[in-house]
Amino acid sequence: MRFRLVLVLSSIAIAAAPLAARQAPKGAAPSQPAPAAAAVKPLAFAVDKLWPMPLPNHWVYGSITGLAIDSRDHVFVATRPGSVAAGNEAGLMSNPPTAEYCCLAAPPILEFDAAGKLVASWGEPSKDKAYDWPVSTGGIAVDDKGNIWITAAGVPEPAAAAAGATGVVPGAARAGGAAAPAAAAAGRGRGETVIPGAEGAPVAPAGRGNAGPPAPADAHILKFTRDGKFLMQIGKAGATGPRDSKTTLDKPADVFIDNAASELYVADGGANQRVVVFDATTGAFKRQWTGHGGEFQRISSITVSKDGLVYVGDRKGNRVQVFKKDGTFAKELEVAKGTTANGSVWDVGLSNDAKQSWLFVADGQNSTVRVFNRDTLAPAGTIGDGGRWPGRFYAVNNLAMDSKGNLFTGEGYEGKRVQKFVKK
Amino acid sequence: MLKKLSLAIFAAAFVVLTVPTTGAQSDLVMAPKFEVDPDFPKELPKHWVTGMSVGVAVDEQDHVWMVHRPPTISPNERGADQEPPTGECCMSAPPVMEFDQTGTLLRRWGGQVAGAPYEWPLSNHGLWIDKKGIVWIGANHNQDSHILKFTKDGKFLAQYGKAGAATNSNDPVNFGSPAKIMIDDTRNEAYIADGYRNKRVVVIDTETGARKRAWGAYGNVPDDASLGRYVPGEKPTQQFRGPVHCAMLSADDLVYVCDRQSNRVQVFTREGKFVSEMIIAPKTGGDGSIWDIAFSKDPAQKWMFIADGKNERVYIVDRKKMEMVSSFGDGGRQPGQWFGAHSIAIDSKGNLYTVETYEGRRLQKFVYKGEQMVPRWQGVPWPVKK
């Protein structure tokens, strides 16, 4: 998917926030053991607090659902305009507007150059019904021709226990400035849960269709040129099939392009919870498999290493399962296994050294990026912690790495940021 | 419908694009310039996260204090202090926090303590530190009818008013969801923007809490009848629509009152005699445009800085002329942007601090760069990237 490789990192060890320094609060899930004092040369990431540049036009981000980086180190962001609360954040979107100067939801697909300048933005329903624009975008990938693949991941499901409540004190919501939930939990990526009805209720600018019945549920993948010209669709909105269907999908969460084999790996969500592989040229079904030793609890992400291993993030299973390309199970990594609520594995990614020595896991429930030795699966550190200031996370949901080894993150829920962590 | 909305949004974007908000060269004006300091404050320890952040103040040592609302942090975000925990992160930071000029967290405290002789607010709102170093805290839950005084160490000193006891804007004792407190240190008077439920300014004695005087819009006897939603172009209402969100005394003894959802500042003498008013962003609906005020640090307080958490700007107003000269900031989650720019304060060097409610939830510092020729809208005030 999003890890563009090339640069060689001899070794890594994350200085930003060593695991040992992350003290587990009372009764919390036990921390991973501290990394062994092996001869790993520390590699530090430092957040670039001024990347990307401010968006133009008083645009604000929706929840980030996908990140991908192309061969020019341009960063493609999939975001959900429907998660922006028209009521108090995007007054220019209300009808009539409730603000004079700010704000509007940014379009769903944003392209930044390496300097962080927005160079393109697109994404809207097809004027001639050539494709089904997603109700909600999910993962995004860019292939070696620079084409963009997007999953239609669906509006988040109803809330799980404890998830999504705003904790607002009843009665405090008078006159707006108090505690209006601001669609607090609305809008996260990739099959997350939200308060029923909170998701994009005021506006869904990127939604599909006209007035009338609700848009058919997301169940497909779209391919566009990098400037938004439609090329191909796999699956059809509203059309789900059996779990072994060769033509239908169900709220696919993520995609990865294997350029050499011209294969498209899909983390197929909803009721399917499977990995499915298509011919990336024709869109024809090739093979599929489900979780090893138990179904995927909530498949979130997929990436394939250069040495032919498929890493599948199982968000609510708190695990990464590793397979060969034919679906043969290889091994499994448990991640913060005491985590409940939305689970710990929101995205998986690999470092861009020749050996892809490091496996990254975006843990949006625990607000950190975890790093593991890809070979031994031993924990090697974490990056970041909870919070709204730069370098911190709320619902870190996506990972990508550029050719220089810089790490990029996207946040769901009300995090709604793209952040760059510069490799030191 | 979605498609129509989508079109409308992009049309709106186009309209915005065509407005020359950045100003032509000829439109430059002399006004204070600021740059956000993205490194302020330093990271919080202990996986602490903040809720809606609703009060900021600077003390006589230039330490920066903020107050936020722990109950507004979603269980999703504070998984480590759920019972049982749902994860390793995060936990709520204490509601009151003090930072030094380097952004280092110092004292922190707050919240109800069992058996304590005070009623901690159900919804925190507003913060002020007087010259004696007393911390004053307001509250805006509709059951919050009181204000609290603490030492900087969090030792309780006094409570004025009783929770749940609010009656109306002519109550001699209780408040009605008081939004902000400002202390006149020379006269030992507290100006209280009262508030969300009441619609008045009330002045009390800082030592006894005794009410001294109160007034409504235009100096009228306050009346709490609902005025309904603000309608652009409406005849100015003779009462505050509210929330009465700030009441700030200037060096020349004028009281500037934020009538937030009427998009207006009203100016009074200390005794409550109406002097003048100013409307900003008059088409603003919803939460309104006038959220909080800070005065510049020159002796004459030439400038007035108004935080607008709806349009996500700080307006720079010539205080004598009551004229908006420039503004800065925009919506967003990055440095120098806001989602719910709720409160504003200034330190002795003229640096500004803001906190955000809603989902912004940050304390930010804006470094004063002197008066310069600037556009009418300065945009997001980023430093030059190194």
Side-chain angles (χ1 to χ4, degrees), chain B residues 36-293:
Chain B
V36 67
D37 177 355
D39 295 322
F40 186 97
K42 292 177 182 166
E43 296 197 340
L44 298 181
K46 304 180 181 179
H47 307 302
W48 279 349
V49 294
T50 43
M52 293 178 178
S53 300
V54 286
V56 63
V58 180
D59 70 14
E60 72 289 351
Q61 298 172 269
D62 271 350
H63 287 189
V64 184
W65 294 70
M66 67 174 282
V67 63
H68 74 103
R69 296 187 189 134
T72 63
I73 304 170
S74 153
N76 250 324
E77 189 171 8
R78 54 191 296 182
D81 63 11
Q82 299 301 298
E83 203 52 63
T86 59
E88 302 168 7
C89 189
C90 313
M91 308 184 80
S92 173
V96 176
M97 293 190 282
E98 173 194 16
F99 297 89
D100 67 16
Q101 277 284 307
T102 70
T104 300
L105 176 64
L106 303 174
R107 284 168 281 196
R108 60 271 192 161
W109 45 267
Q112 187 66 51
V113 175
Y118 59 83
E119 297 166 297
W120 188 261
L122 292 175
S123 180
N124 302 326
H125 201 290
L127 184 71
W128 190 263
I129 321 287
D130 69 22
K131 288 275 193 302
K132 299 190 184 88
I134 293 170
V135 181
W136 297 73
I137 295 171
N140 83 326
H141 188 282
N142 64 13
Q143 294 300 304
D144 289 331
S145 322
H146 56 296
I147 60 177
L148 293 168
K149 289 166 69 174
F150 290 89
T151 68
K152 285 183 176 178
D153 293 322
K155 182 169 167 280
F156 171 69
L157 294 175
Q159 171 172 335
Y160 302 136
K162 181 164 172 47
T167 56
N168 58 52
S169 282
N170 298 301
D171 190 314
V173 176
N174 298 295
F175 306 94
S177 313
K180 187 177 180 181
I181 301 145
M182 188 214 179
I183 307 301
D184 176 354
D185 293 289
T186 59
R187 300 183 186 90
N188 291 327
E189 290 183 338
Y191 287 79
I192 297 164
D194 184 32
Y196 277 73
R197 179 172 172 144
N198 289 348
K199 298 179 189 303
R200 64 172 176 174
V201 175
V202 55
V203 182
I204 64 171
D205 183 284
T206 56
E207 303 308 306
T208 65
R211 175 188 141 133
K212 298 179 85 168
R213 55 194 180 273
W215 65 88
Y218 299 107
N220 294 329
V221 173
D223 184 301
D224 300 325
S226 171
L227 299 174
R229 294 189 76 81
Y230 171 85
V231 178
E234 71 178 17
K235 189 159 167 267
T237 58
Q238 293 301 302
Q239 295 289 342
F240 293 126
R241 174 173 273 105
V244 182
H245 217 241
C246 80
M248 296 291 290
L249 181 69
S250 68
D252 52 0
D253 285 341
L254 293 171
V255 184
Y256 291 74
V257 179
C258 301
D259 186 10
R260 204 184 72 194
Q261 280 168 216
S262 290
N263 305 325
R264 65 183 174 182
V265 180
Q266 287 205 336
V267 188
F268 301 89
T269 67
R270 283 183 52 245
E271 298 301 321
K273 182 169 178 294
F274 177 75
V275 175
S276 63
E277 69 183 328
M278 176 184 192
I279 293 177
I280 290 182
K283 292 178 190 146
T284 307
D287 296 334
S289 64
I290 310 292
W291 291 44
D292 198 11
I293 291 174

Side-chain angles (χ1 to χ4, degrees), chain A residues 311 333 348-350 357-361 370-372 374 377:
Chain A
Y311 291 79
L333 168 66
V348 289
L350 303 173
S357 308
W358 308 99
L359 168 67
F360 296 84
V361 172
R370 300 178 186 276
V371 188
F372 299 88
R374 187 169 75 91
L377 298 181

Side-chain angles (χ1 to χ4, degrees), chain A residues 48-49 52 57-58 87 98 100-101 164-165 167 170 174-176 178 210-211 340 342 366 385 388-389 392 414, chain B residues 1 17 39 44 47 69 71 76-77 86 88 140-141 196 260 281-283 285 310-311 330 333-334 358-359 363:
Chain A
D48 179 347
K49 298 180 180 182
N57 312 329
H58 312 294
T98 58
E100 289 207 20
Y101 303 122
R174 282 181 84 227
N210 293 308
T340 56
N342 292 305
N366 294 302
D385 202 342
R388 307 297 171 95
W389 281 277
R392 297 223 147 183
E414 290 293 336
Chain B
M1 189 178 76
L17 279 168
D39 295 322
L44 298 181
H47 307 302
R69 296 187 189 134
N76 250 324
E77 189 171 8
T86 59
E88 302 168 7
N140 83 326
H141 188 282
Y196 277 73
R260 204 184 72 194
K283 292 178 190 146
K310 177 64 181 175
N311 289 292
D330 205 358
R333 315 282 165 115
Q334 292 177 268
Y358 291 137
E359 296 291 343
L363 166 65

Side-chain angles (χ1 to χ4, degrees), chain A residues 296-345:
Chain A
F296 296 125
Q297 300 297 301
R298 198 63 48 93
I299 193 167
S300 64
S301 47
I302 189 163
T303 195
V304 182
S305 66
K306 285 185 282 191
D307 57 3
L309 293 172
V310 182
Y311 291 79
V312 181
D314 182 7
R315 180 163 51 76
K316 288 194 176 180
N318 299 330
R319 61 184 183 174
V320 178
Q321 289 203 331
V322 188
F323 302 87
K324 293 180 183 167
K325 283 186 174 182
D326 64 4
T328 308
F329 176 76
K331 54 187 172 181
E332 177 176 281
L333 168 66
E334 289 185 329
V335 179
K337 35 185 302 204
T339 307
T340 56
N342 292 305
S344 64
V345 182

Side-chain angles (χ1 to χ4, degrees), chain A residues 13-23 31 43-47 49 360-371 380-396 399 407 409 411 417 419-421, chain B residues 43-49 88-90:
Chain A
I14 306 308
L19 258 184
R22 289 175 62 87
Q23 297 169 353
S31 273
L43 172 104
F45 288 101
V47 66
K49 298 180 180 182
F360 296 84
V361 172
D363 180 349
Q365 183 64 47
N366 294 302
S367 290
T368 194
V369 175
R370 300 178 186 276
V371 188
T382 62
I383 304 164
D385 202 342
R388 307 297 171 95
W389 281 277
R392 297 223 147 183
F393 301 117
Y394 180 23
V396 56
L399 300 169
L407 179 70
T409 60
E411 289 158 77
R417 285 181 298 186
Q419 298 197 71
K420 176 182 181 179
F421 295 81
Chain B
E43 296 197 340
L44 298 181
K46 304 180 181 179
H47 307 302
W48 279 349
V49 294
E88 302 168 7
C89 189
C90 313

Side-chain angles (χ1 to χ4, degrees), chain A residues 43 73 99 102-103 129 139 147 159 162 166 183 194 240-241 282 311 313 358 393 395:
Chain A
L43 172 104
D73 276 347
C102 197
C103 316
K129 298 196 166 131
N147 295 317
T166 57
V194 291
T240 55
T282 65
Y311 291 79
W358 308 99
F393 301 117

